[in-house]
Amino acid sequence: MSARILVVDDVPANVKLLEARLSAEYFDVMTAANGAEALAISRRAECDIILLDVMMPDMDGFEVCRRLKTDPATHHIPVVMVTALDSPADRNRGLEAGADDFLTKPVSDVVLIARVRSLTRLKMMTDELRMRAITSLEIGMQAPERSAVADTGKGGRILLVDDRQSSYERLATILAAEHTVDVEPNPTEALFHAAEGNYDLLIVSLDLNNFDGLRLCSQARSLERTRHVPILAIADPENSTRLLRGLEIGVNDYLLRPIDKTELLARARTQIRRRRYTDHLRDNVQNSIEMAITDALTGLHNRRYMETHLATLAEQASTRGKPLALMILDIDYFKSINDNYGHDAGDDVLREFAVRVRKSIRGIDLACRYGGEEFVIVMPETDLHVAGMVAERLRRSIAGEPFAIHKGAKRIEVTISIGLTTLERKGESVADVLKRADTALYRAKHDGRNRVVSQAA
């Protein structure tokens, strides 16, 4: 697994030692001798993970980490502090500054590489989401970086899986100061509880009686509903080897007993902030996908989606020997609505028209805004006779009740013309079907509007 690691230390011997360790594992290593240089490299997006010394001249590691984590351009880069400082106060100060981990020198090669690999996987997943979310920025959606920087990481929902009463009572009391905490002492029920609870963080003891805590972590990673929930593992010091195995299977962070209160809260906040950020990225990606295929005004699918999906429906109909009906609808005299009542009134009509269309068709039917005041409805497994009945029902629903405009202050009469046809020849092109429906629509408008005209193949 290749990643670009930035080693920040003002002691050349320390830099060479870390560089040798990481290069042996095929990581690309960059170096910086001070905080200012590290910040500049990070802002240029040249690194994936930062290994940061604390004791440096001019700007110490705590300040460098704080600046990285409060800058929207760099807050998502994992930071591991690697330092000779080993007091709980120093560790907590680093975590409070936003560090993803705090390793005390001398760091074993196994621990260092396991942590770097774990954070590399996390960074690559986040980068993929960030790249996919670029589209959402281009269409005007808000980027999540600034809200992520401002997020305190508090107010999360945590599931604590621990079967030792003295342990879970103490941990739950500490966590309850900042979060909502549920305790599950029965590990066999924990996965079901986690899947149903919409949690921001799972805290799992690896010292469960008669149950493998790592297996529970692995199962949580394989289940769709818990796959992206961060996991914080807790273990006794003699189980440190199993913790390293946990990092390989997807555990995000860990703590060794005895648990320091401040460190537990700091690590929980870090994981919850990261969960919220990645959730926001996923939401942006999903919303951008929906916006790319949806007409913003009516909520119906847009022409781009129709042209792609119609080809698929036509191919399925031909393969299965099933009919496929298609109608083009046009709002009569729509230009005069805009001219006489304003474009806001025209928008009101289009929105209400879309509502009535949805009420008149089935869930499997495809309704799209084709452009302007023209719409297309595609009906799988529907012959010309049945489609004609649907079209007539839709025509009556439009003409039968006036449309409210100007927030209900006025109501106007609206009618539609409909051209209808079906796909009946195997292999017939979608363009030919649309052209035939459009010809039928022209006849409907030429013959007086407010009518349905069918044209067989």
Side-chain angles (χ1 to χ4, degrees), residues 7-18 21 51-56 80-87 90-91 101-109 111-112:
V7 176
V8 187
D9 199 316
D10 64 322
V11 179
N14 292 341
V15 172
K16 289 185 179 297
L17 180 60
L18 283 174
R21 288 177 176 178
L51 301 184
L52 179 63
D53 186 34
V54 173
M55 304 301 292
M56 295 186 296
V80 179
M81 289 192 164
V82 184
T83 176
L85 300 176
D86 60 357
S87 72
D90 290 322
R91 177 184 297 272
D101 206 349
F102 193 102
L103 301 180
T104 303
K105 298 176 182 177
V107 181
S108 76
D109 289 357
V111 171
L112 175 67

Side-chain angles (χ1 to χ4, degrees), residues 301-408:
H301 289 298
N302 59 21
R303 181 169 182 165
R304 178 191 305 170
Y305 180 82
M306 184 213 75
E307 290 175 343
T308 301
H309 199 57
L310 177 55
T312 301
L313 292 175
E315 182 179 354
Q316 290 175 351
S318 294
T319 302
R320 298 171 184 173
K322 300 289 186 179
L324 179 77
L326 181 145
M327 63 177 80
I328 299 182
L329 308 83
D330 185 273
I331 299 176
D332 296 329
Y333 303 111
F334 185 75
K335 182 177 183 302
S336 66
I337 295 175
N338 284 330
D339 291 344
N340 294 330
Y341 303 105
H343 288 277
D344 287 345
D347 290 347
D348 291 339
V349 169
L350 291 171
R351 279 189 288 263
E352 175 60 22
F353 176 77
V355 171
R356 298 190 194 186
V357 166
R358 289 194 192 93
K359 290 179 179 179
S360 300
I361 63 175
R362 304 165 301 177
I364 65 170
D365 297 332
L366 173 65
C368 306
R369 187 179 181 190
Y370 197 49
E373 67 273 21
E374 281 195 340
F375 296 79
V376 170
I377 298 175
V378 184
M379 293 175 287
E381 301 187 17
T382 306
D383 61 25
L384 195 61
H385 174 70
V386 174
M389 294 172 59
V390 174
E392 183 58 32
R393 183 175 68 233
L394 178 56
R395 186 198 63 78
R396 288 197 303 267
S397 78
I398 300 300
E401 183 179 351
F403 281 56
I405 60 174
H406 299 155
K407 298 182 179 180

Side-chain angles (χ1 to χ4, degrees), residues 159-172:
L159 177 63
L160 172 61
V161 184
D162 193 341
D163 57 5
R164 293 195 296 192
Q165 185 174 355
S166 60
S167 173
Y168 67 65
E169 285 182 348
R170 177 174 181 267
L171 295 178

Side-chain angles (χ1 to χ4, degrees), residues 385-445:
H385 174 70
V386 174
M389 294 172 59
V390 174
E392 183 58 32
R393 183 175 68 233
L394 178 56
R395 186 198 63 78
R396 288 197 303 267
S397 78
I398 300 300
E401 183 179 351
F403 281 56
I405 60 174
H406 299 155
K407 298 182 179 180
K410 188 175 182 59
R411 301 175 73 83
I412 61 174
E413 301 290 336
V414 176
T415 63
I416 59 172
S417 300
I418 302 176
L420 174 64
T421 192
T422 55
L423 172 73
E424 295 181 351
R425 296 194 306 274
K426 187 173 183 179
E428 183 180 21
S429 74
V430 166
D432 288 343
V433 179
L434 283 168
K435 183 176 181 180
R436 195 162 56 247
D438 191 57
T439 300
L441 173 64
Y442 177 81
R443 281 180 48 203
K445 298 177 78 69

